[in-house]
Amino acid sequence: EREKCSLYLKMCVTVIQEDCTTDNGEDSHRISPSPVVHVRGLCEAVVEADLIDALEKFGPICYVMMMPFKRQALVEFSAVESADRCVSCGAKEPVYIAGQQAYFNYSTSKRITRPTNADNPNSGNKVLLLSIQNPLYPITTDVLYTVCNPIGSVLRIVIFKRNGIQAMVEFESVQCAQKAKAALNGADIYAGCCTLKIEYARPTRLNVIKNDNESWDYTKPYLVRRDRGKGRQRQAILGEHPSSYSENGYGPPCPLLPLPGNSRYKLTSVDVPDMVSYPLPQSSSSYSGHAPSSVAMVSGLHPSKMNCTRIFNLFCLYGNIEKVKFMKSVPGTALVEMGDEYAVDRAITHLNSIKVFGKRLNVCVSKQHAVIPSQVFELEDGSSSYKDFAMTRNNRFSSAGQASKNIIQPPSAVLHYYNVPPCISQDHLLRLCTEHDVPGFVKFKMFDAKPSSKTISGLLEFDNKTEAVEVLTVLNHYQIRIPNGSNPYTLKLCFSTSSHL
């Protein structure tokens, strides 16, 4: 885990340093030439293979690191001369990747940091590590097999959950693994979500003892498959998929992004269609790598600044909240019962390891299957250690229509505010931050509203992500009362898709 944290910090530093350069290459002379090139302005549908196709004309490529949510990538060439040709060409004439013009600059890094030593194709590693980002839908062995097997023969799959959802996929050969990494790295399993980030894994072989939704050995079909749970069906994030389920639990297939047209990344034109599709699995209680649970355990909570309501304000962005209970035996720790296990997955993916009030949260799946209001006590701020939110109108996933309006976003420095009365100004919102002892925003934008509109909305930009998280935790669902108004307005906040104003 220490090694993973160190790698993550190095990657973050690299990305921050790259963000300080311009898109048009004007600053390229300020950075010493490097075999690593920072690529910006990529389209959403780009995958690793697209970068290789477009840039290998400049020279052999050693490694590619995708940053799909930033629409950026790092490309490491085998020689500085190749990187120089890429940057120089991009500054003189447009270079297109997947049909969209991209921008290039030297990276401040001389080599892309690999997560393991198994990234060298010559090492004989045929196991890939898949990290599924923004997992709005269930990820099972059936799903991953259907995604990966058309590109290269899959032998074994193991799905596990630590910091989000990850899987290891063992292919028949190193060549198959290379093709799959190039074709799928950066792609969305479902349009707009379940984005794949792929690296070479450390193990060279997977050990599977059971064939089920979390693990499967395709060379041993006789392994016992665990029956699907018969328990209570929980509401999915967006309700049913737009294509209704059929009697066998699967609806018409959901499209993936097109695979690269280059035949290098396909088995044959007959074996692999231009568009891969597969059914959306029905909600299953055996989906989780643990015993399935809709309860998250949150530790690292500030003893005096966090309470049940503030936990609700933050976690409700990723699913309905049923109950919140602080644990008397473990200070700074709370159990959060959410609407279903997939909401817990999203909370882990986006909130684990973020800092709130100077303390780093640890979010994981709890062994408990429900929150029971026992041993209720008073928190440092005087509020109760237990609160039931099942009936609150502030839950945002109570119906399919309501849930479809939510954009699942990781924490960012920009907050989207809405449901605010038109009489509230920028100064009012700044004063609200001051009164509640939270950081003020540095930029403000109000969206144009219809003359007949009863509420307004806009964006608030803060100095950093941590400040935005703290403001949302404190002020989300704040009751704004106006003179002569019969009912208060509930201020609603969420993380914006914009990175800055």
Side-chain angles (χ1 to χ4, degrees), residues 150-152 179 183 259-275:
I151 301 166
K179 289 180 181 179
L259 289 173
N262 194 318
S263 61
R264 288 182 304 156
Y265 306 106
K266 296 184 179 182
L267 298 177
T268 68
S269 58
V270 176
D271 295 332
V272 184
D274 287 335
M275 183 75 76

Side-chain angles (χ1 to χ4, degrees), residues 314 351 354-357 361 411-413 415 462 464-474 495:
L314 182 58
L351 299 180
I354 68 167
K355 292 190 74 173
V356 186
F357 302 121
L361 296 189
S412 68
L415 295 181
F462 296 83
N464 53 59
K465 178 175 70 177
T466 300
E467 290 188 357
V469 169
E470 293 177 359
V471 170
L472 182 142
T473 301
V474 174
F495 296 114

Side-chain angles (χ1 to χ4, degrees), residues 433-450:
C433 292
T434 303
E435 290 171 356
H436 287 81
D437 195 26
V438 292
F441 49 87
V442 293
K443 290 184 181 178
F444 171 86
K445 179 179 181 179
M446 184 185 295
F447 296 144
D448 293 333
K450 296 179 181 179

Side-chain angles (χ1 to χ4, degrees), residues 262-331:
N262 194 318
S263 61
R264 288 182 304 156
Y265 306 106
K266 296 184 179 182
L267 298 177
T268 68
S269 58
V270 176
D271 295 332
V272 184
D274 287 335
M275 183 75 76
V276 178
S277 61
Y278 58 89
L280 177 69
Q282 202 171 21
S283 176
S284 166
S285 62
S286 61
Y287 159 67
S288 166
H290 304 256
S293 173
S294 58
V295 179
M297 184 168 72
V298 188
S299 57
L301 296 167
H302 193 284
S304 62
K305 294 187 178 181
M306 289 299 285
N307 55 34
C308 294
T309 299
R310 290 183 175 183
I311 289 177
F312 173 86
N313 289 344
L314 182 58
F315 278 71
C316 73
L317 272 58
Y318 303 104
N320 281 349
I321 307 298
E322 300 287 331
K323 306 179 187 76
V324 177
K325 183 183 80 169
F326 278 77
M327 300 173 68
K328 191 170 187 178
S329 59
V330 188

Side-chain angles (χ1 to χ4, degrees), residues 137 234-242 245 280 397 399-401 403-404:
Y137 294 109
R234 296 184 182 276
Q235 182 180 345
I237 319 187
L238 305 179
E240 292 186 343
H241 188 267
Y245 297 122
L280 177 69
F397 295 79
S399 67
S404 65

